[in-house]
């Protein structure tokens, strides 16, 4: 690399390998079956104890030194099958940089499925809500225009019994987010199982945070313990391996950062593409080589393509406008001479892959959610590739614990113009329950 005319050699240190649970265990030399006695890649708690223990024991944590000692002991006593090839790297060790697989731990045949199996079973047996009603509620609920909703398959009794719901990880993520709004009005206030549902919803929100500090890590740690305690007490269940692995999230976040940056969603999305290739390729001599060749051709084509790193902002059919000529100008709260500028106005835009349309809602909140504001997009304006929204403010009255959502009372006669990055994130939607309007914040959601 040439830096200010001086040739420098740059070295990269491997920080971590991204993978799902099974692959990371395989690559790191650990047990590849989660029914093994020592299946955990983070500690050496045996599987019997891991079914009941909610507190972690530091002395059982795997370390570089005990990993090396355990290589000389039988697999049955340690859970280590072989030395990982990655340990030959000078600055990397299998034990020090183990990632977590949040997609499979929580959403794909994970904790959410186990939890909902127990909760739906309770709703059917104790609250006498029929399976037909449950399926109808799921089908009827509209997540909102921007959610790319597709219809979910009907849940059958055996899906609930075996916790094998017919939904993708992304569907499950959405289902957890909106579960309180889908079923909240069917469940009495202060119901203990409903409190457990809310603990899961909050846990998922926390795990999905884009950044952490010590305060948030402490809250996450307490939330995991609270959730697991309720699960074992309410349903008389043992903790499955994924519940145990979740206990290691706080220590992993401290080492490698938020789990959302190491998850497998994007990698698994490629499965569909490769499945299509497999169907179209007739040669079966070396299908893996063919797929690898395809993948490298696509990658090099993308690198050559000027659009690969994405145009942040795209829009169509824009017209030139001035704020001073707009009907809401008198209600607009502005303190600069922005109203004198010419803007391009469009009905919808795509910014960093997120679609914004007139009529969508955006939230603006402080870090600790002490101050939440809700805005409806009334105009979308562009100036020199900067994106602005002219928004109408809506009133938020209070937070409903039962629905895990904020109640919205209606619009105010106050308009403001703000840049896209001033808002929390992607658009959110209003949901109507028993003649009241609610929003769920999407601050931590994809
Ligand atoms: Zn462990």
């Amino acid at each position: 690399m040439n830096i200010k005319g001086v040739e420098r050699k740059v070295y990269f240190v491997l920080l971590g390998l991204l993978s799902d649970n099974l692959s990371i265990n395989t690559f790191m030399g650990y047990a590849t079956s989660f029914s093994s006695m020592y299946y955990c890649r983070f500690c050496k708690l045996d599987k019997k104890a891991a079914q009941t223990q909610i507190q972690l024991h530091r002395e059982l944590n795997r370390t570089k030194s005990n990993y090396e000692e355990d290589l000389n002991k039988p697999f049955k006593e340690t859970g280590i099958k072989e030395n990982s090839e990655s340990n030959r790297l000078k600055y990397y060790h299998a034990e020090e940089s183990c990632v977590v697989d949040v997609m499979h731990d929580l959403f794909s045949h994970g904790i959410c499925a186990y939890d909902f199996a127990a909760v739906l079973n309770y709703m059917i047996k104790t609250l006498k809500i029929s399976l037909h009603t449950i399926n109808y509620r799921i089908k009827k609920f509209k997540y909102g225009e921007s959610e790319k909703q597709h219809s979910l398959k009907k849940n059958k009794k055996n899906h609930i019994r075996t916790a094998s719901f017919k939904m993708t990880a992304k569907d499950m993520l959405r289902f957890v987010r909106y579960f309180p709004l889908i079923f909240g009005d069917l469940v009495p206030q202060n119901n203990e199982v409903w409190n457990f549902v809310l603990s899961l919803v909050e846990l998922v929100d926390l795990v999905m945070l884009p950044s952490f500090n010590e305060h948030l890590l402490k809250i996450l740690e307490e939330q995991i313990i609270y959730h697991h305690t309720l699960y074992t007490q309410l349903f008389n269940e043992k903790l499955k391996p994924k519940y145990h692995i979740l206990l290691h999230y706080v220590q992993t976040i401290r080492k490698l950062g938020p789990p959302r940056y190491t998850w497998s969603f994007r990698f698994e999305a490629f499965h569909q593409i490769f499945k299509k290739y497999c169907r179209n390729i007739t040669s079966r001599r070396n299908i893996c080589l063919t797929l690898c060749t395809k993948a490298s051709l696509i990658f090099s084509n993308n690198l050559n393509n000027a659009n690969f790193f994405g145009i942040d902002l795209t829009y169509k059919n824009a017209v030139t406008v001035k704020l001073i000529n707009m009907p809401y100008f008198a209600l607009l709260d502005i303190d600069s001479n922005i109203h004198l500028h010419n803007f391009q106005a469009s009905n919808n835009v795509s910014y960093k892959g997120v679609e914004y349309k007139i009529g969508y809602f955006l939230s603006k909140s402080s870090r600790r959610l002490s101050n939440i504001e809700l805005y409806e997009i009334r105009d979308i304006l562009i100036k020199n590739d900067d994106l602005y929204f002219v928004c109408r403010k809506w009133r938020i009255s209070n937070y409903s614990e039962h629905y895990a959502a904020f109640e919205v009372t209606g619009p105010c006669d106050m308009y403001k113009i703000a840049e896209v990055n001033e808002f929390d994130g992607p658009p959110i939607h209003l949901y109507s329950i028993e003649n009241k309007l609610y929003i769920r914040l999407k601050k931590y959601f994809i």
Side-chain angles (χ1 to χ4, degrees):
M1 189 179 280
N2 193 308
I3 302 168
K4 292 181 181 172
V6 183
E7 285 294 321
R8 305 254 183 203
K9 202 167 187 178
V10 180
Y11 297 90
F12 293 90
V13 174
L14 181 66
L15 179 66
L17 291 160
L18 310 187
S19 166
D20 62 11
N21 279 323
L22 179 59
S23 305
I24 200 84
N25 267 30
T26 309
F27 190 74
M28 301 300 183
Y30 294 120
T32 47
S33 164
F34 289 89
S35 55
S36 307
M37 186 56 82
Y38 298 98
Y39 63 80
C40 181
R41 59 182 178 272
F42 301 100
C43 78
K44 291 200 285 178
L45 189 66
D46 70 70
K47 75 169 176 184
K48 283 259 158 53
Q51 288 174 346
T52 54
Q53 290 192 21
I54 293 172
Q55 298 284 354
L56 289 174
H57 301 277
R58 269 170 186 263
E59 66 276 11
L60 291 177
N61 277 354
R62 293 187 190 272
T63 61
K64 190 175 172 182
S65 62
N66 70 31
Y67 181 100
E68 274 153 20
E69 280 169 28
D70 289 346
L71 283 171
N72 303 317
K73 296 178 186 168
F75 166 69
K76 282 186 178 176
E77 291 173 21
T78 62
I80 297 181
K81 272 187 176 173
E82 59 189 6
N83 194 6
S84 169
E85 279 297 305
S86 64
N87 291 341
R88 290 198 291 151
L89 293 168
K90 194 173 174 185
Y91 298 104
Y92 183 83
H93 191 273
E95 190 30 56
E96 289 172 347
S97 305
C98 262
V99 294
V100 288
D101 174 13
V102 67
M103 177 182 167
H104 294 94
D105 288 339
L106 283 173
F107 307 116
S108 179
H109 307 285
I111 290 169
C112 293
Y114 296 131
D115 282 8
F116 285 137
V119 170
L120 292 177
N121 191 39
Y122 168 84
M123 285 165 66
I124 293 168
K125 289 195 173 152
T126 310
L127 299 181
K128 306 294 178 199
I129 300 167
S130 70
L131 184 56
H132 174 77
T133 306
I134 288 169
N135 280 323
Y136 177 72
R137 281 297 181 108
I138 295 171
K139 191 178 166 79
K140 204 185 81 167
F141 188 80
K142 296 279 174 272
Y143 291 100
E145 200 186 333
S146 68
E147 294 284 359
K148 295 185 176 67
Q149 178 176 10
H150 55 90
S151 58
L152 297 176
K153 288 195 175 147
K154 266 189 183 178
N155 291 304
K156 295 180 180 168
K157 274 183 186 167
N158 66 321
H159 297 154
I160 296 174
R161 186 170 44 79
T162 57
S164 53
F165 298 97
K166 302 292 173 200
M167 51 176 94
T168 64
K170 194 76 183 284
D171 290 335
M172 182 57 91
L173 198 156
R174 250 182 235 123
F175 191 51
V176 180
R177 289 279 313 165
Y178 296 112
F179 196 94
L181 299 176
I182 300 171
F183 297 111
D185 58 322
L186 297 177
V187 181
Q189 297 276 340
N190 299 320
N191 177 289
E192 55 184 5
V193 173
W194 193 249
N195 289 340
F196 169 71
V197 169
L198 298 175
S199 81
L200 174 69
V201 171
E202 195 171 336
L203 174 61
V204 169
D205 280 351
L206 281 167
V207 170
M208 304 294 275
L209 282 171
S211 63
F212 289 87
N213 55 28
E214 273 308 313
H215 173 71
L216 287 167
L217 285 174
K218 185 83 189 136
I219 295 175
L220 174 62
E221 193 170 25
E222 286 167 4
Q223 189 66 26
I224 294 169
I225 292 170
Y226 177 61
H227 167 268
H228 285 16
T229 309
L230 284 184
Y231 180 73
T232 49
Q233 286 176 356
L234 288 172
F235 306 111
N236 200 22
E237 289 275 358
K238 289 178 175 149
L239 296 175
K240 296 163 181 71
K242 287 181 178 177
Y243 289 78
H244 173 74
I245 288 174
L246 194 68
L247 294 170
H248 291 288
Y249 267 49
V250 171
Q251 75 189 59
T252 309
I253 292 168
R254 280 204 175 93
K255 277 186 191 171
L256 296 172
R260 64 183 299 145
Y261 301 128
T262 56
W263 67 21
S264 357
F265 272 102
R266 294 315 311 145
F267 306 112
E268 301 240 348
F270 281 96
H271 290 179
Q272 280 299 331
I273 299 168
F274 287 119
K275 274 185 194 169
K276 279 183 191 161
Y277 285 143
C278 288
R279 279 188 219 112
N280 292 334
I281 296 164
T282 50
S283 168
R284 289 289 179 269
R285 186 168 289 184
N286 192 343
I287 191 82
C288 294
L289 177 65
T290 311
L291 293 177
C292 287
T293 309
K294 278 266 183 199
S296 47
L297 285 172
I298 295 167
F299 187 60
S300 51
N301 179 56
N302 285 338
L303 287 178
N304 278 327
N305 186 342
N307 296 339
F308 180 52
F309 295 106
I311 299 172
D312 278 354
L313 181 63
T314 53
Y315 54 93
K316 283 181 187 167
N317 306 327
V319 291
T320 305
V321 296
K322 258 188 180 156
L323 280 174
I324 203 162
N325 298 328
M326 304 308 258
Y328 46 72
F329 181 69
L331 301 169
L332 201 54
D333 177 24
I334 43 174
D335 53 8
S336 65
N337 60 355
I338 198 166
H339 58 288
L340 300 173
H341 297 170
N342 283 332
F343 287 95
Q344 295 296 300
S346 180
N347 288 343
N348 60 68
V349 296
S350 170
Y351 178 72
K352 293 187 176 175
V354 179
E355 195 90 16
Y356 295 88
K357 285 186 184 175
I358 291 175
Y360 279 10
F361 287 84
L362 296 166
S363 68
K364 194 176 171 196
S365 56
S366 60
R367 173 123 199 164
R368 292 201 177 175
L369 304 182
S370 54
N371 183 29
I372 317 271
E373 294 172 1
L374 179 67
Y375 294 97
E376 179 192 359
I377 301 176
R378 298 301 295 264
D379 261 325
I380 300 173
L381 305 176
I382 302 114
K383 184 171 171 51
N384 303 333
D385 286 342
D386 290 329
L387 177 61
Y388 297 87
F389 298 119
V390 176
C391 300
R392 186 176 195 184
K393 193 171 182 182
W394 282 56
R395 278 185 296 273
I396 292 176
S397 62
N398 57 320
Y399 181 73
S400 162
E401 299 273 351
H402 189 74
Y403 292 112
F406 289 90
E407 194 184 327
V408 177
T409 48
C412 345
D413 279 337
M414 186 185 158
Y415 284 69
K416 79 177 255 167
I417 179 165
E419 216 235 318
V420 59
N421 295 324
E422 289 183 36
F423 297 96
D424 285 344
I428 55 174
H429 298 276
L430 296 187
Y431 302 95
S432 172
I433 305 164
E434 294 178 320
N435 299 322
K436 288 182 178 173
L437 291 173
Y438 293 93
I439 51 163
R440 284 225 69 215
L441 289 191
K442 213 179 196 183
K443 197 172 179 181
Y444 315 124
F445 191 31
I446 52 172

